[in-house]
Amino acid sequence: MHKLNITFQCFSLRKHWIKGIIREAIRATLAAEGISAECEINVLLTNDSGIREINRSSRNIDKATDVLSFPMFHFVPGQPPTDWEEYLDVETNLCPLGDMCISLERAAAQAKEFGHSIKREVGYLTIHSMLHLLGYDHLDEGTEKRQMRTREERIAAMISGMQRK
């Protein structure tokens, strides 16, 4: 069983529903990537001003964004460790993959902009962040970005209500 620590920094009437899609997206990503270890992931849900402050303090970028990822380890994309022993927390016996922060305000705006549901957008941002925690990146606009987008879409297609329309 994975341990997901989901914290709301902003008010939302949809807490139960949002937690559900985040859990589903995390489980689907871990399964699709063949992660055999039990993991711990911290998720902070905030608004644009909250994520802007985190972006400014952690990356020295003074602007809001949709999602931030803070991996605990540097994995090779698509090549999870075969032996997780060195990655496990000795007290919990879980692999602390890292932290993610999602702006629900930005997710709602992007869902409207892209013409799909907030469920799909929050799920997609969660998958995107999980892939970052698992070593994927998109620093270039070529191969890395295409590889990550392909993985995101394949994982999203596995989740009910997240298929691209």
Side-chain angles (χ1 to χ4, degrees), residues 85-122:
E85 195 64 35
E86 69 181 274
Y87 300 101
L88 301 181
D89 181 292
V90 293
E91 292 181 16
T92 65
N93 210 35
L94 298 171
C95 176
L97 283 183
D99 306 329
M100 70 175 74
C101 179
I102 297 172
S103 169
L104 293 177
E105 186 177 353
R106 183 61 52 101
Q110 287 178 178
K112 185 176 182 179
E113 176 186 341
F114 299 138
H116 56 244
S117 70
I118 295 173
K119 175 182 179 179
R120 175 175 162 65
E121 189 64 21
V122 170

Side-chain angles (χ1 to χ4, degrees), residues 3 8 16 18 25 28 34 41 82 103 106 111 120 122 135 137 147 156 159:
K3 182 177 181 186
F8 285 80
H16 180 72
I18 292 169
I41 298 119
T82 52
S103 169
R106 183 61 52 101
R120 175 175 162 65
V122 170
D137 213 338
Q147 179 188 28
I159 301 170

